[in-house]
Amino acid sequence: MAINPGVIARTGLELLGETGLDGLTMRLVADRLGVRPPTLYWHVKNKQHLLDAMAAVMFTDAIEGLRPPADAAAWPDWVATRARTLRKVLLRYRDGARVFAGTYLTGPDLPAAMELTLRVLLDAGFTLPDAARGFAAVLHYTVGHTIEEQARLGAGYEHNPYDPKALAEAFRPDLYPLAARAATEVFLGPDPDTDFDAGLDYILTGMAAKAGL
């Protein structure tokens, strides 16, 4: 197998299921590829560059086939679909959202996707500042929500603190009736997709109101 940044990045993503972000090392990636660590440094300089490459792979997968909507008025559904697609890709990998957060994406994918998104929003009636801030709000919400969603799996804890029994002990209904209901019925409800979509709807509704749409 030819070694290149893409192969190295996808190998790192595969290893996440076994090691998580904190356990991922350049040596483990090299071992999985059957090469010595110095071989990797010809392609990625250090672990941060490895994470950047892994994030770039996830983003490329998330924007595959990206096209503008046929009708500018359909921008809310279009933006929501983009957010759901990114979340779905991040959820494929243990700590996928943590890997993605704070990385620096090189290459044309991010600016090209941002250019298209801004054009869609401007065609719908947004100003450039409102479109740019709306784009950022949706992106940051998607990544942040997915970090929290993956954290609720309890990886790294001996006992998952998000387990319903543990939550019941922390959020005692007799002392904190509203917080207890919110913790168990809303944030840890049976359908995390509904939870994500509800927050996304708040952002999109706010964007529309700010733009007077």
mmCIF file with all atom_site columns, all heavy atoms in Angstrom, residues 7-20:
data_model
loop_
_atom_site.group_PDB
_atom_site.id
_atom_site.type_symbol
_atom_site.label_atom_id
_atom_site.label_alt_id
_atom_site.label_comp_id
_atom_site.label_asym_id
_atom_site.label_entity_id
_atom_site.label_seq_id
_atom_site.pdbx_PDB_ins_code
_atom_site.Cartn_x
_atom_site.Cartn_y
_atom_site.Cartn_z
_atom_site.occupancy
_atom_site.B_iso_or_equiv
_atom_site.pdbx_formal_charge
_atom_site.auth_seq_id
_atom_site.auth_comp_id
_atom_site.auth_asym_id
_atom_site.auth_atom_id
_atom_site.pdbx_PDB_model_num
ATOM 1  N N   . VAL A 1 7  ? -4.157  8.090  3.260  1.00 0.00 ? 7  VAL A N   1
ATOM 2  C CA  . VAL A 1 7  ? -4.107  6.741  3.844  1.00 0.00 ? 7  VAL A CA  1
ATOM 3  C C   . VAL A 1 7  ? -3.797  6.824  5.329  1.00 0.00 ? 7  VAL A C   1
ATOM 4  O O   . VAL A 1 7  ? -4.398  6.122  6.158  1.00 0.00 ? 7  VAL A O   1
ATOM 5  C CB  . VAL A 1 7  ? -3.047  5.896  3.112  1.00 0.00 ? 7  VAL A CB  1
ATOM 6  C CG1 . VAL A 1 7  ? -2.779  4.595  3.865  1.00 0.00 ? 7  VAL A CG1 1
ATOM 7  C CG2 . VAL A 1 7  ? -3.484  5.597  1.682  1.00 0.00 ? 7  VAL A CG2 1
ATOM 8  N N   . ILE A 1 8  ? -2.859  7.689  5.692  1.00 0.00 ? 8  ILE A N   1
ATOM 9  C CA  . ILE A 1 8  ? -2.500  7.854  7.104  1.00 0.00 ? 8  ILE A CA  1
ATOM 10 C C   . ILE A 1 8  ? -3.701  8.362  7.892  1.00 0.00 ? 8  ILE A C   1
ATOM 11 O O   . ILE A 1 8  ? -3.994  7.870  8.997  1.00 0.00 ? 8  ILE A O   1
ATOM 12 C CB  . ILE A 1 8  ? -1.311  8.819  7.236  1.00 0.00 ? 8  ILE A CB  1
ATOM 13 C CG1 . ILE A 1 8  ? -0.058  8.205  6.606  1.00 0.00 ? 8  ILE A CG1 1
ATOM 14 C CG2 . ILE A 1 8  ? -1.055  9.162  8.698  1.00 0.00 ? 8  ILE A CG2 1
ATOM 15 C CD1 . ILE A 1 8  ? 1.101   9.174  6.459  1.00 0.00 ? 8  ILE A CD1 1
ATOM 16 N N   . ALA A 1 9  ? -4.422  9.349  7.342  1.00 0.00 ? 9  ALA A N   1
ATOM 17 C CA  . ALA A 1 9  ? -5.566  9.921  8.041  1.00 0.00 ? 9  ALA A CA  1
ATOM 18 C C   . ALA A 1 9  ? -6.670  8.890  8.244  1.00 0.00 ? 9  ALA A C   1
ATOM 19 O O   . ALA A 1 9  ? -7.257  8.780  9.335  1.00 0.00 ? 9  ALA A O   1
ATOM 20 C CB  . ALA A 1 9  ? -6.096  11.124 7.270  1.00 0.00 ? 9  ALA A CB  1
ATOM 21 N N   . ARG A 1 10 ? -6.981  8.117  7.224  1.00 0.00 ? 10 ARG A N   1
ATOM 22 C CA  . ARG A 1 10 ? -8.047  7.115  7.355  1.00 0.00 ? 10 ARG A CA  1
ATOM 23 C C   . ARG A 1 10 ? -7.634  6.006  8.314  1.00 0.00 ? 10 ARG A C   1
ATOM 24 O O   . ARG A 1 10 ? -8.480  5.445  9.025  1.00 0.00 ? 10 ARG A O   1
ATOM 25 C CB  . ARG A 1 10 ? -8.420  6.561  5.980  1.00 0.00 ? 10 ARG A CB  1
ATOM 26 C CG  . ARG A 1 10 ? -9.152  7.598  5.121  1.00 0.00 ? 10 ARG A CG  1
ATOM 27 C CD  . ARG A 1 10 ? -9.904  6.985  3.968  1.00 0.00 ? 10 ARG A CD  1
ATOM 28 N NE  . ARG A 1 10 ? -10.602 8.008  3.190  1.00 0.00 ? 10 ARG A NE  1
ATOM 29 C CZ  . ARG A 1 10 ? -11.807 8.483  3.481  1.00 0.00 ? 10 ARG A CZ  1
ATOM 30 N NH1 . ARG A 1 10 ? -12.458 8.015  4.538  1.00 0.00 ? 10 ARG A NH1 1
ATOM 31 N NH2 . ARG A 1 10 ? -12.374 9.410  2.727  1.00 0.00 ? 10 ARG A NH2 1
ATOM 32 N N   . THR A 1 11 ? -6.347  5.699  8.375  1.00 0.00 ? 11 THR A N   1
ATOM 33 C CA  . THR A 1 11 ? -5.880  4.716  9.353  1.00 0.00 ? 11 THR A CA  1
ATOM 34 C C   . THR A 1 11 ? -6.061  5.258  10.762 1.00 0.00 ? 11 THR A C   1
ATOM 35 O O   . THR A 1 11 ? -6.480  4.539  11.673 1.00 0.00 ? 11 THR A O   1
ATOM 36 C CB  . THR A 1 11 ? -4.407  4.374  9.092  1.00 0.00 ? 11 THR A CB  1
ATOM 37 O OG1 . THR A 1 11 ? -4.269  3.852  7.764  1.00 0.00 ? 11 THR A OG1 1
ATOM 38 C CG2 . THR A 1 11 ? -3.899  3.342  10.097 1.00 0.00 ? 11 THR A CG2 1
ATOM 39 N N   . GLY A 1 12 ? -5.757  6.543  10.950 1.00 0.00 ? 12 GLY A N   1
ATOM 40 C CA  . GLY A 1 12 ? -5.985  7.166  12.251 1.00 0.00 ? 12 GLY A CA  1
ATOM 41 C C   . GLY A 1 12 ? -7.448  7.121  12.654 1.00 0.00 ? 12 GLY A C   1
ATOM 42 O O   . GLY A 1 12 ? -7.781  6.846  13.811 1.00 0.00 ? 12 GLY A O   1
ATOM 43 N N   . LEU A 1 13 ? -8.344  7.371  11.706 1.00 0.00 ? 13 LEU A N   1
ATOM 44 C CA  . LEU A 1 13 ? -9.773  7.312  11.999 1.00 0.00 ? 13 LEU A CA  1
ATOM 45 C C   . LEU A 1 13 ? -10.206 5.902  12.371 1.00 0.00 ? 13 LEU A C   1
ATOM 46 O O   . LEU A 1 13 ? -11.029 5.713  13.277 1.00 0.00 ? 13 LEU A O   1
ATOM 47 C CB  . LEU A 1 13 ? -10.568 7.807  10.789 1.00 0.00 ? 13 LEU A CB  1
ATOM 48 C CG  . LEU A 1 13 ? -10.489 9.311  10.505 1.00 0.00 ? 13 LEU A CG  1
ATOM 49 C CD1 . LEU A 1 13 ? -11.114 9.643  9.152  1.00 0.00 ? 13 LEU A CD1 1
ATOM 50 C CD2 . LEU A 1 13 ? -11.174 10.113 11.606 1.00 0.00 ? 13 LEU A CD2 1
ATOM 51 N N   . GLU A 1 14 ? -9.660  4.907  11.699 1.00 0.00 ? 14 GLU A N   1
ATOM 52 C CA  . GLU A 1 14 ? -9.989  3.520  12.027 1.00 0.00 ? 14 GLU A CA  1
ATOM 53 C C   . GLU A 1 14 ? -9.531  3.174  13.444 1.00 0.00 ? 14 GLU A C   1
ATOM 54 O O   . GLU A 1 14 ? -10.221 2.460  14.178 1.00 0.00 ? 14 GLU A O   1
ATOM 55 C CB  . GLU A 1 14 ? -9.324  2.576  11.031 1.00 0.00 ? 14 GLU A CB  1
ATOM 56 C CG  . GLU A 1 14 ? -9.898  2.661  9.615  1.00 0.00 ? 14 GLU A CG  1
ATOM 57 C CD  . GLU A 1 14 ? -9.067  1.885  8.610  1.00 0.00 ? 14 GLU A CD  1
ATOM 58 O OE1 . GLU A 1 14 ? -8.081  1.232  9.033  1.00 0.00 ? 14 GLU A OE1 1
ATOM 59 O OE2 . GLU A 1 14 ? -9.396  1.934  7.407  1.00 0.00 ? 14 GLU A OE2 1
ATOM 60 N N   . LEU A 1 15 ? -8.372  3.687  13.844 1.00 0.00 ? 15 LEU A N   1
ATOM 61 C CA  . LEU A 1 15 ? -7.824  3.372  15.167 1.00 0.00 ? 15 LEU A CA  1
ATOM 62 C C   . LEU A 1 15 ? -8.598  4.043  16.296 1.00 0.00 ? 15 LEU A C   1
ATOM 63 O O   . LEU A 1 15 ? -8.519  3.596  17.446 1.00 0.00 ? 15 LEU A O   1
ATOM 64 C CB  . LEU A 1 15 ? -6.352  3.798  15.237 1.00 0.00 ? 15 LEU A CB  1
ATOM 65 C CG  . LEU A 1 15 ? -5.352  2.834  14.595 1.00 0.00 ? 15 LEU A CG  1
ATOM 66 C CD1 . LEU A 1 15 ? -3.991  3.500  14.469 1.00 0.00 ? 15 LEU A CD1 1
ATOM 67 C CD2 . LEU A 1 15 ? -5.240  1.564  15.431 1.00 0.00 ? 15 LEU A CD2 1
ATOM 68 N N   . LEU A 1 16 ? -9.325  5.098  15.995 1.00 0.00 ? 16 LEU A N   1
ATOM 69 C CA  . LEU A 1 16 ? -10.059 5.791  17.052 1.00 0.00 ? 16 LEU A CA  1
ATOM 70 C C   . LEU A 1 16 ? -10.995 4.859  17.801 1.00 0.00 ? 16 LEU A C   1
ATOM 71 O O   . LEU A 1 16 ? -11.197 4.997  19.008 1.00 0.00 ? 16 LEU A O   1
ATOM 72 C CB  . LEU A 1 16 ? -10.867 6.952  16.464 1.00 0.00 ? 16 LEU A CB  1
ATOM 73 C CG  . LEU A 1 16 ? -10.120 8.235  16.129 1.00 0.00 ? 16 LEU A CG  1
ATOM 74 C CD1 . LEU A 1 16 ? -11.076 9.242  15.517 1.00 0.00 ? 16 LEU A CD1 1
ATOM 75 C CD2 . LEU A 1 16 ? -9.451  8.824  17.367 1.00 0.00 ? 16 LEU A CD2 1
ATOM 76 N N   . GLY A 1 17 ? -11.591 3.919  17.087 1.00 0.00 ? 17 GLY A N   1
ATOM 77 C CA  . GLY A 1 17 ? -12.510 2.990  17.744 1.00 0.00 ? 17 GLY A CA  1
ATOM 78 C C   . GLY A 1 17 ? -11.838 2.151  18.805 1.00 0.00 ? 17 GLY A C   1
ATOM 79 O O   . GLY A 1 17 ? -12.479 1.700  19.759 1.00 0.00 ? 17 GLY A O   1
ATOM 80 N N   . GLU A 1 18 ? -10.538 1.945  18.672 1.00 0.00 ? 18 GLU A N   1
ATOM 81 C CA  . GLU A 1 18 ? -9.799  1.134  19.628 1.00 0.00 ? 18 GLU A CA  1
ATOM 82 C C   . GLU A 1 18 ? -9.150  1.977  20.718 1.00 0.00 ? 18 GLU A C   1
ATOM 83 O O   . GLU A 1 18 ? -9.049  1.533  21.873 1.00 0.00 ? 18 GLU A O   1
ATOM 84 C CB  . GLU A 1 18 ? -8.709  0.342  18.891 1.00 0.00 ? 18 GLU A CB  1
ATOM 85 C CG  . GLU A 1 18 ? -9.230  -0.551 17.773 1.00 0.00 ? 18 GLU A CG  1
ATOM 86 C CD  . GLU A 1 18 ? -8.099  -1.139 16.947 1.00 0.00 ? 18 GLU A CD  1
ATOM 87 O OE1 . GLU A 1 18 ? -6.953  -1.170 17.432 1.00 0.00 ? 18 GLU A OE1 1
ATOM 88 O OE2 . GLU A 1 18 ? -8.360  -1.539 15.790 1.00 0.00 ? 18 GLU A OE2 1
ATOM 89 N N   . THR A 1 19 ? -8.682  3.173  20.362 1.00 0.00 ? 19 THR A N   1
ATOM 90 C CA  . THR A 1 19 ? -7.860  3.950  21.287 1.00 0.00 ? 19 THR A CA  1
ATOM 91 C C   . THR A 1 19 ? -8.523  5.209  21.812 1.00 0.00 ? 19 THR A C   1
ATOM 92 O O   . THR A 1 19 ? -8.139  5.712  22.876 1.00 0.00 ? 19 THR A O   1
ATOM 93 C CB  . THR A 1 19 ? -6.559  4.380  20.597 1.00 0.00 ? 19 THR A CB  1
ATOM 94 O OG1 . THR A 1 19 ? -6.864  5.341  19.567 1.00 0.00 ? 19 THR A OG1 1
ATOM 95 C CG2 . THR A 1 19 ? -5.848  3.196  19.969 1.00 0.00 ? 19 THR A CG2 1
ATOM 96 N N   . GLY A 1 20 ? -9.513  5.743  21.073 1.00 0.00 ? 20 GLY A N   1
ATOM 97 C CA  . GLY A 1 20 ? -10.009 7.073  21.391 1.00 0.00 ? 20 GLY A CA  1
ATOM 98 C C   . GLY A 1 20 ? -8.963  8.107  21.028 1.00 0.00 ? 20 GLY A C   1
ATOM 99 O O   . GLY A 1 20 ? -7.817  7.782  20.696 1.00 0.00 ? 20 GLY A O   1
#
